[in-house]
Amino acid sequence: MVLTKEYRICMPLTVEEYQIGQLYMIARHSLEKSDSGQGVEVVENSECESEEHGKGQFTEKRVHLSNRLPYWIQAVCPRVFYITEKAWNYYPFTITEQKFGCSFIPKFSISIQTRYENNNGCTENCLKLSSEKLAERTVDHVDIAFEEIDQKHYKQEEDPKYFKSKVTGRGPLIEGWREHESPIMCSYKLVSASFEVWGLQTRVEDFIHRCIREILLVGHRQAFTWMDEWYNMTMEDVREYEKSKQTETNEKVLQSTNNDAGNSLEQQQAEQTPSVSSID
């Protein structure tokens, strides 16, 4: 069975404000991650249209993260690989698909459906799931202010418990903020992770969800605490910012992956490839 979770992430924003903040956060976050040799390469970013959802934005990305995988996954994966991500953004509804960018593990996929509403996460079936899907899903409320994050990600200036916006006056967030904060919106994100490799499925799917949850927590903390930098941007402003940062990110990521590919070839001649039996 595919592991399915619905993450609900509240923000002290309106849905309209969140659209700008999310685009800014993703562009800046991707550029910062590329400094460590990992990052998101943008292959395509163009307008799209759907009969059901209307006009939107299509993006295709390559998420380079091989060096961030634990040893027991690296044991069955190529040294240099990426995940291909395709997303159709019909805001306030989006569809995202992720698959391995290699044929080595052909049955790995992540499917994400997201809808945004101006409430505190109280809608029981925001994504209009069938009764079967409702029975399969697990709901997970993510609190951007009062959940601990890995120390390697922590910055006090990005802590919602201490941040106060000079532009809007919002923050800092106090205990129980989701019950009384105004404005407030929620990102309802249904994530299905599938890794159909015998002996590893449960462990890898759990790992994928932990990674996604960490990304959601860190990214939304940043979107809120970077508010003063994006709040007065128009959609045209943030699209221009996004385009600029994507160019910088692509250059860094491509340079890094080219270096990794060269190093990998040399190491393959000197090392014995670890076997699945070595997984602890």
Side-chain angles (χ1 to χ4, degrees):
M1 181 182 294
V2 175
L3 183 56
T4 301
K5 292 188 178 184
E6 181 181 307
Y7 298 97
R8 298 183 185 180
I9 312 102
C10 289
M11 296 282 281
L13 307 169
T14 66
V15 168
E16 293 72 25
E17 292 168 346
Y18 178 84
Q19 185 176 17
I20 301 292
Q22 180 194 41
L23 292 172
Y24 176 90
M25 177 270 291
I26 291 173
R28 177 174 165 182
H29 182 88
S30 296
L31 179 60
E32 290 184 356
K33 286 298 179 185
S34 68
D35 290 335
S36 62
Q38 304 293 305
V40 180
E41 174 193 355
V42 179
V43 178
E44 182 178 350
N45 189 350
S46 59
E47 294 182 355
C48 62
E49 190 166 356
S50 160
E51 291 185 6
E52 180 180 359
H53 304 294
K55 293 184 177 181
Q57 196 78 10
F58 169 77
T59 57
E60 180 177 344
K61 302 175 182 179
R62 292 175 180 172
V63 185
H64 298 266
L65 43 61
S66 54
N67 292 339
R68 297 173 61 187
L69 294 176
Y71 174 78
W72 53 271
I73 292 184
Q74 292 186 43
V76 296
C77 293
R79 286 186 175 275
V80 180
F81 76 93
Y82 56 83
I83 291 176
T84 296
E85 176 186 288
K86 295 182 179 181
W88 293 262
N89 187 347
Y90 305 103
Y91 200 83
F93 176 73
T94 65
I95 303 169
T96 304
E97 296 177 352
Q98 295 181 332
K99 295 183 179 180
F100 265 94
C102 66
S103 60
F104 193 82
I105 303 176
K107 295 185 178 180
F108 167 88
S109 64
I110 301 171
S111 174
I112 304 173
Q113 294 185 43
T114 308
R115 188 176 295 278
Y116 310 100
E117 288 190 348
N118 284 312
N119 58 48
N120 67 349
C122 58
T123 304
E124 178 55 29
N125 190 9
C126 176
L127 291 159
K128 299 178 174 59
L129 304 179
S130 65
S131 56
E132 292 80 7
K133 285 289 185 181
L134 286 173
E136 293 174 4
R137 73 162 185 188
T138 300
V139 176
D140 186 345
H141 293 269
V142 179
D143 187 338
I144 66 168
F146 288 90
E147 290 191 24
E148 292 187 7
I149 65 170
D150 194 303
Q151 197 59 35
K152 66 185 177 184
H153 298 304
Y154 183 80
K155 297 179 182 179
Q156 185 167 326
E157 63 270 23
E158 295 178 359
D159 190 333
K161 296 192 300 295
Y162 301 105
F163 170 76
K164 184 175 180 63
S165 169
K166 296 178 182 178
V167 176
T168 67
R170 298 176 202 172
L173 301 183
I174 62 174
E175 194 75 52
W177 67 274
R178 289 176 293 180
E179 302 303 321
H180 58 72
E181 196 74 25
S182 181
I184 192 166
M185 56 81 61
C186 183
S187 170
Y188 294 83
K189 193 172 293 287
L190 186 75
V191 181
S192 299
S194 176
F195 188 86
E196 299 179 26
V197 177
W198 187 85
L200 285 175
Q201 182 172 3
T202 300
R203 190 172 185 180
V204 172
E205 289 178 359
D206 284 339
F207 172 77
I208 291 167
H209 273 281
R210 289 198 304 273
C211 289
I212 289 173
R213 197 182 195 284
E214 180 180 67
I215 291 169
L216 292 174
L217 180 57
V218 174
H220 283 79
R221 285 165 65 98
Q222 290 175 330
F224 173 57
T225 57
W226 292 346
M227 178 187 294
D228 288 351
E229 299 174 40
W230 59 257
Y231 188 78
N232 289 319
M233 283 185 169
T234 63
M235 182 57 70
E236 291 74 18
D237 293 335
V238 78
R239 286 297 184 192
E240 188 61 35
Y241 176 86
E242 180 183 52
K243 183 179 179 180
S244 171
K245 297 307 177 187
Q246 285 175 357
T247 300
E248 293 182 55
T249 302
N250 282 1
E251 291 175 354
K252 288 187 176 183
V253 170
L254 289 174
Q255 181 179 359
S256 175
T257 52
N258 287 338
N259 292 339
D260 286 345
N263 293 336
S264 175
L265 183 60
E266 294 177 2
Q267 290 174 3
Q268 285 176 0
Q269 298 171 353
E271 297 178 359
Q272 179 180 2
T273 303
S275 65
V276 175
S277 61
S278 66
I279 296 173
D280 57 23

